[in-house]
Amino acid sequence: MAARLVIEGGRPLCGEMRVSAAKNAALPALCAALLTAEPVVLDNVPALADVVTARALLAGLGAAISDEADGGTRVIVRTLASHEAPYELVSTMRASVLVLGPLLARSGLARVALPGGCAIGVRPIDQHLKGLAKLGADIAIRNGYVEARASRLKGGRITSDLVTVTGTENLMMAAALAEGTTILENAAREPEVADLARLLGAMGARIEGAGTERIEIEGVAELGGARHRIIPDRIEAGTLLVAGAITGGDVTITDAAPRHLTATLAKLEECGAEIFVDRDRVRCRAPERPLAADIITNPFPGFPTDMQAQFMALLGVAEGHSKITETIFENRFMHAAELCRLGARIETDGATAVVRGVSAYQGAPVMATDLRASASLVLAGLAARGITEVSRVYHLDRGYERLEAKLASLGARIERVA
Ligand code: EPZ
């Protein structure tokens, strides 16, 4: 039987907790090492299931990966042993598509399994492919694989039809070794995109405007090695702060980047929490009872879709009615039905969910369906009366480093049982 978490709720979480590094910054950084034959050393790489998958993917492509005594992760791809990202790996981690741009830019050839859909949506990669074709690549889809070829990519202007995070990252990495200048319009502004640009810059790339909607990349003939520290995880940070707010506690996160959390902190304040920010620390003191608030998810700097589920759990015990509008993924309310098993009153209709706050959750067995849904069920379990059992927690391990240990050290009664 897959591991599950058993939570005895009703205890306020209090204390300090260090934030781990961002999964969604570590994965593109690892893939960027494919762009050079020199060593790339990454500091602060989180111990996550998705990082294990990324390491296996890179090793299959010819990377030598070692853990340094000083905590760094050293990646060297002297020569490519393969140009293929196999379905077995891509199907377990969609972000594997981030090898497409680097492989094509480095060797002129890439064969990457199409990721397919996932629990939260269809998630096509048409914008990635459209962009690479604009840089001169021949793209074909055969037997469930993207086959891309280019003698050398040529710079161009790419206007994305919609904001895509990994799409922007893939094209930025491809353009870094292209001939001439590339302009990415309507680019993603997420902090993870800017962090990748910092790494590429340290490797010798010429990139302007990362973190804004217009990024200019002047291609170079070759990239070198670099050492880079991965940014803190703004979604883990937000999840820990909501854990304090939903349990009536007082939680301080450290080693965080508050400027990446503005929309999340503003929403916590709207829910009645007191927020104190001091350099890399954020303290959240819970209200007597959370207040209702409306949420509309948007690309950064808007409210992050990756915090939507956690806030649904919080608003489920708030005073009043809240409306949540999910604009990024078409199927990201799977957690609503499970929260209703804990006594929540939530009605979903397409992209909106109406949450009628109840005074308390009742513990029950629930099932996780995806990474952030699993976090929302854990948060609800921490607030519930009685025992909650969350099954399929392998979803959680993909994106949270030792979450139950962190919550336990803040006072939670939570245990993983096999
Ligand atoms: C990144 O996914 C994150 N993953 C996701 O985090 C996050 O939810 C998402 O950005 C949005 O913030 C990583 O960084 C590894 P998108 P990504 O391309 O890049 C559509 C988590 O919980 N789209 O920005 O795959 C797409 O279907 C995960 O940590 C196209 O239509 O997301 C979606 O509706 C989940 N065509 C929207 O755009 C494309 O070519 C945004 O997706 C690309 C995207």
Side-chain angles (χ1 to χ4, degrees):
M1 185 167 176
R4 59 197 196 284
L5 287 177
V6 177
I7 308 165
E8 186 187 333
R11 305 164 65 88
L13 267 56
C14 297
E16 288 200 3
M17 183 47 59
R18 179 185 166 275
V19 172
S20 299
K23 163 183 80 82
N24 292 346
L27 299 177
L30 287 162
C31 295
L34 290 165
L35 289 164
T36 177
E38 300 303 315
V40 169
V41 182
L42 300 174
D43 290 308
N44 206 20
V45 173
L48 300 170
D50 274 7
V51 168
V52 173
T53 307
R55 289 173 68 130
L57 179 65
L58 292 176
L61 295 167
I65 306 176
S66 56
D67 298 309
E68 307 288 282
D70 61 6
T73 301
R74 187 188 188 87
V75 187
I76 314 179
V77 190
R78 288 257 178 258
T79 53
L80 286 168
S82 161
H83 302 270
E84 181 167 317
Y87 180 69
E88 302 70 56
L89 290 175
V90 178
S91 56
T92 60
M93 182 185 72
R94 300 178 46 76
S96 308
V97 72
L98 284 165
V99 302
L100 181 56
L103 279 177
L104 192 55
R106 168 98 183 256
S107 70
L109 180 60
R111 187 167 189 269
V112 175
L114 276 170
C118 81
I120 64 176
V122 178
R123 304 185 70 179
I125 58 166
D126 57 305
Q127 299 299 309
H128 301 232
L129 304 183
K130 187 186 93 165
L132 291 173
K134 266 275 174 133
L135 299 182
D138 288 329
I139 307 269
I141 310 285
R142 281 196 201 93
N143 309 103
Y145 278 74
V146 176
E147 293 186 1
R149 289 170 194 280
S151 51
R152 180 163 184 211
L153 295 171
K154 292 195 176 28
R157 180 182 294 276
I158 302 168
T159 303
S160 192
D161 300 327
L162 43 77
V163 173
T164 160
V165 176
T166 50
T168 302
E169 293 166 343
N170 238 334
L171 296 173
M172 205 161 61
M173 290 191 277
L177 285 176
E179 196 180 316
T181 301
T182 298
I183 309 278
L184 302 181
E185 300 279 7
N186 198 23
R189 293 184 271 168
E190 269 65 7
E192 294 76 23
V193 171
D195 196 46
L196 176 63
R198 261 189 300 280
L199 166 59
L200 294 170
M203 294 166 69
R206 300 197 186 128
I207 302 177
E208 298 284 331
T212 75
E213 68 270 7
R214 184 181 185 280
I215 303 177
E216 187 162 332
I217 304 119
E218 193 191 326
V220 296
E222 208 176 40
L223 290 171
R227 184 160 199 146
H228 176 78
R229 185 174 178 78
I230 307 287
I231 53 172
D233 192 325
R234 61 196 168 98
I235 306 300
E236 186 210 23
T239 304
L240 291 169
L241 294 173
V242 173
I246 201 171
T247 58
D250 187 339
V251 166
T252 298
I253 53 166
T254 63
D255 266 9
R259 67 191 181 286
H260 298 163
L261 288 164
T262 41
T264 298
L265 300 182
K267 202 50 71 177
L268 276 168
E269 283 182 327
E270 230 181 287
C271 293
E274 287 175 274
I275 300 292
F276 309 90
V277 174
D278 169 23
R279 287 169 295 136
D280 65 351
R281 301 162 65 85
V282 180
R283 177 178 175 197
C284 172
R285 190 156 57 193
E288 188 70 26
R289 180 172 178 196
L291 303 173
D294 294 342
I295 286 178
I296 303 174
T297 64
N298 271 306
F300 190 89
F303 185 89
T305 174
D306 295 346
M307 282 303 300
Q308 178 256 98
Q310 298 90 316
F311 269 81
M312 186 182 275
L314 179 65
L315 296 169
V317 287
E319 187 133 20
H321 298 178
S322 308
K323 185 174 160 195
I324 299 178
T325 308
E326 174 56 60
T327 71
I328 308 290
F329 292 109
E330 66 274 20
N331 188 34
R332 203 169 203 180
F333 286 146
M334 301 283 278
H335 40 282
E338 294 302 304
L339 289 171
C340 289
R341 290 182 47 72
L342 298 169
R345 293 169 53 208
I346 305 170
E347 280 162 35
T348 63
D349 178 12
T352 60
V354 174
V355 184
R356 291 178 175 73
V358 297
S359 56
Y361 290 131
Q362 310 299 325
V366 288
M367 190 183 295
T369 47
D370 61 77
L371 170 57
R372 307 304 170 184
S374 52
S376 85
L377 300 178
V378 169
L379 295 176
L382 293 170
R385 294 190 182 135
I387 303 290
T388 296
E389 283 199 21
V390 183
S391 58
R392 299 191 181 176
V393 287
Y394 51 80
H395 288 293
L396 204 69
D397 300 335
R398 297 193 49 193
Y400 290 95
E401 193 176 41
R402 301 177 312 101
L403 184 64
E404 74 261 25
K406 290 190 174 189
L407 295 171
S409 75
L410 292 170
R413 279 244 177 93
I414 181 167
E415 200 193 346
R416 180 178 294 241
V417 290

